Amino acid sequence: MKRKKQLQSLVPWLVTLALFLFWELTCWLFKVPPFVLPRPSLIFTTMYQFRGQIWFHSLQTLFTTIIGFGLAVGGGLLIGLAVGASRIVYTSLYPLLIGFNSIPKVALVPVIVIWFGIGTIPAIITAFSIAFFPIAVNVATGLATIEPEMRDVLRSLGASRYEILTKVGIPRSTPYLFASLKIAITLSFIGSVISETVASNQGIGYLMLSASSRFEVPLVFAGLLVVGAMGIAMYAICVLFEQRMTKWAFRGSELSA
Amino acid sequence: MADNAFVDLHNVSLAYGEDEERILAVENLNLAIEKGDFVAVVGPSGCGKSSLMKLVTGLLPPTGGTIFVDGRQVTGPIEGVGMAFQSSTLMPWRTTLDNIMLPFEIVKPHKHRLRTNRSEYVAAGERILQSVGLGNFTHKYPWQLSGGMQQRANLCRALIHEPQLLMLDEPFGALDAFTREELWSVMQNLWLEKRFTAVLVTHDLREAAYLSDTVHVMSKRPGQFIFSKKIDIPRPRTLETTFTPQFIDIVHSLREKISNEHEL
Ligand SMILES: Nc1ncnc2c1ncn2[C@@H]1O[C@H](COP(=O)(O)OP(=O)(O)OP(=O)(O)O)[C@@H](O)[C@H]1O
Ligand SMILES: [Mg+2]
């Protein structure tokens, strides 16, 4: 049993390694030129070579992502609670939210730049605007799916709407909230990198754009890998939180073990 | 009609939906329940038994007629009733003890005293869990309990704040026969001790006869009371009681009334 678990946690690493090997071999076999698709070995040496720059720009991206994500959690939670708890807010706000979510966020960046200039702030706002929607929708769904019997039990005890919200609504929607955080954190990365490529002189997005304009393709790929790795790390942290906070939602399933 | 009845329904009717979709669930319901009585309500499926429970507790407003509980007309959810449903509706994020303490957090005056007198309330919670045989499960989560244990906890939660009125909507419906019969005796003991007024909805006629002082039979939809049967069997009743001729006769006469309703 224990060995099986150890093996399970090893599998993702093995698969990643296999993918890189396959990539390396294919490039070598078909003699793919590095300005089309660089080999992983070249990407990693480039990464090491430019480690100072990459470190600096990664920190910037990480910073804007986390701030944007944090704001999205706060905003999404508030909007989700309001939409889920009140019929009027739901009917009046939902179409607007859907409309806003349908706007490609790249199209927003120029507008934000006009208001706030280039750099950190547009990246934060873009990360926020792309990430708050799934949070709001999930929290609202959690509230909307409270079992009517559970509501009736509380109402027959004389609970106010506020008490129903805090005693059932919020605990009931935490698994939904944490599920959405996993999506939201990756979306935040997408948001801030998009904004950096369009309007910034800092961040991984900027690094990749400027590298590609100089045809330094391996550096572009190094940036891509770094963004991916940061995404995985943040996702893992969210999963850890999820399992901590909502153990009951996983019940006896294997995930909680 | 008794004027001093604890629960009193006058020509109560309830319709769901509007226009073409309008369904008359119950019509011209008249019922009086004395304080401290245990009554059972039986009737064909869909005749409006659950609706009756919601009407009495004020969760649904009647379309017509008036409802009085404890001398006051019911216009909204009445406070501090105990309710238990077929599904146990325990909260999976709370331990069993925290679950059954819920009424203390909501019902006055407990909710204002809970923080300062917490240990006293916890002791009350542990005591009632002990009395239904859940003493060792206070810190387990509901999903770590069996269905029967969950229903026991559910009854504890409905009773812990010592409500004057207990409403049970098929609370033993999902259980196997053995567990169910065991819980009848648990329920009877709780009632003999506290003597609250209780209304039990059930499909099980033996359960109705075992637990109640009076069984009321409802017609099919729109539901009306068509027959009442007093159960004059001394308490405490035991499983042996259910095999006596008198008990069997009662169950037979009830079954007859209900199967008539099904055939109509
Ligand atoms: N929310 C609702 N909206 C519309 N119609 C409803 C609603 N709830 C119940 N009804 C209708 O009212 C009638 C009575 O329902 P109710 O749940 O009170 O029956 P019941 O006697 O409890 O049935 P059962 O024994 O199967 O639990 C049913 O015919 C049902 O179709
Ligand atoms: Mg019912």
Side-chain angles (χ1 to χ4, degrees), chain A residues 97-118:
Chain A
L97 282 176
I98 306 254
F100 182 75
N101 192 47
S102 311
I103 301 174
K105 297 303 170 300
V106 202
L108 269 188
V109 179
V111 182
I112 303 172
V113 170
I114 293 174
W115 293 341
F116 297 104
I118 64 163

Side-chain angles (χ1 to χ4, degrees), chain B residues 14-17 21 23-26 43-54 60 86 169-170 201-203 218 221 223:
Chain B
L14 174 72
Y16 288 105
E21 292 190 3
I23 286 183
L24 202 52
V26 298
S45 185
C47 71
K49 299 182 296 295
S50 297
S51 307
L52 168 72
M53 306 297 266
K54 288 184 185 159
L60 279 178
Q86 177 167 6
D169 194 349
E170 298 181 38
V201 165
T202 178
H203 282 288
M218 276 174 97
R221 194 172 57 89

Side-chain angles (χ1 to χ4, degrees), chain B residues 51-70:
Chain B
S51 307
L52 168 72
M53 306 297 266
K54 288 184 185 159
L55 286 168
V56 172
T57 49
L59 293 175
L60 279 178
T63 327
T66 49
I67 302 164
F68 287 88
V69 173
D70 202 9

Side-chain angles (χ1 to χ4, degrees), chain B:
Chain B
M1 182 129 317
D3 275 340
N4 54 351
F6 188 67
V7 176
D8 206 350
L9 283 80
H10 282 282
N11 294 327
V12 172
S13 58
L14 174 72
Y16 288 105
E18 284 176 11
D19 302 328
E20 293 106 73
E21 292 190 3
R22 191 178 155 93
I23 286 183
L24 202 52
V26 298
E27 198 179 20
N28 279 325
L29 278 184
N30 287 292
L31 181 68
I33 303 171
E34 296 299 321
K35 195 173 174 72
D37 265 10
F38 200 124
V39 306
V41 175
V42 297
S45 185
C47 71
K49 299 182 296 295
S50 297
S51 307
L52 168 72
M53 306 297 266
K54 288 184 185 159
L55 286 168
V56 172
T57 49
L59 293 175
L60 279 178
T63 327
T66 49
I67 302 164
F68 287 88
V69 173
D70 202 9
R72 266 183 302 247
Q73 184 164 2
V74 175
T75 49
I78 53 178
E79 284 183 23
V81 199
M83 265 197 129
F85 297 94
Q86 177 167 6
S87 58
S88 71
T89 67
L90 296 171
M91 299 170 176
W93 55 87
R94 288 175 172 231
T95 62
T96 308
L97 183 65
D98 285 342
N99 256 298
I100 67 155
M101 303 266 288
L102 178 76
F104 288 150
E105 295 167 24
I106 294 169
V107 177
K108 284 170 246 169
H110 305 297
K111 86 191 230 188
H112 303 299
R113 301 186 64 237
L114 181 60
R115 192 163 307 176
T116 42
N117 303 53
R118 185 151 183 101
S119 57
E120 176 190 320
Y121 282 105
V122 168
E126 282 169 347
R127 209 172 326 122
I128 195 168
L129 282 174
Q130 194 87 43
S131 74
V132 299
L134 286 178
N136 292 328
F137 294 88
T138 48
H139 297 295
K140 291 266 188 280
Y141 287 89
W143 36 274
Q144 294 170 320
L145 306 181
S146 72
M149 291 166 160
Q150 289 179 26
Q151 255 342 323
R152 284 165 207 251
N154 203 19
L155 286 181
C156 291
R157 185 180 63 184
L159 284 169
I160 191 163
H161 55 298
E162 310 205 344
Q164 299 201 52
L165 182 60
L166 178 68
M167 308 294 283
L168 303 166
D169 194 349
E170 298 181 38
F172 313 124
L175 304 175
D176 67 280
F178 292 111
T179 314
R180 199 184 307 178
E181 284 163 2
E182 212 179 303
L183 286 188
W184 293 351
S185 132
V186 169
M187 187 70 241
Q188 178 175 248
N189 291 340
L190 291 169
W191 181 78
L192 285 173
E193 191 185 326
K194 301 269 159 63
R195 291 287 177 161
F196 40 82
T197 311
V199 183
L200 166 74
V201 165
T202 178
H203 282 288
D204 186 337
L205 300 179
R206 291 174 63 235
E207 177 173 305
Y210 182 108
L211 281 171
S212 66
D213 300 313
T214 315
V215 181
H216 297 283
V217 180
M218 276 174 97
S219 68
K220 65 176 187 196
R221 194 172 57 89
Q224 281 180 306
F225 287 111
I226 49 165
F227 180 69
S228 299
K229 178 93 190 162
K230 264 206 129 31
I231 316 290
D232 285 318
I233 302 175
R235 298 183 190 261
R237 300 167 190 165
T238 62
L239 216 49
E240 289 306 313
T241 319
T242 65
F243 299 110
T244 58
Q246 188 192 6
F247 189 91
I248 294 170
D249 279 349
I250 291 171
V251 173
H252 269 304
S253 68
L254 289 172
R255 171 142 298 138
E256 213 169 302
K257 293 287 172 195
I258 292 189
S259 50
N260 282 346
E261 274 312 304
H262 271 289
E263 277 158 22
L264 285 173

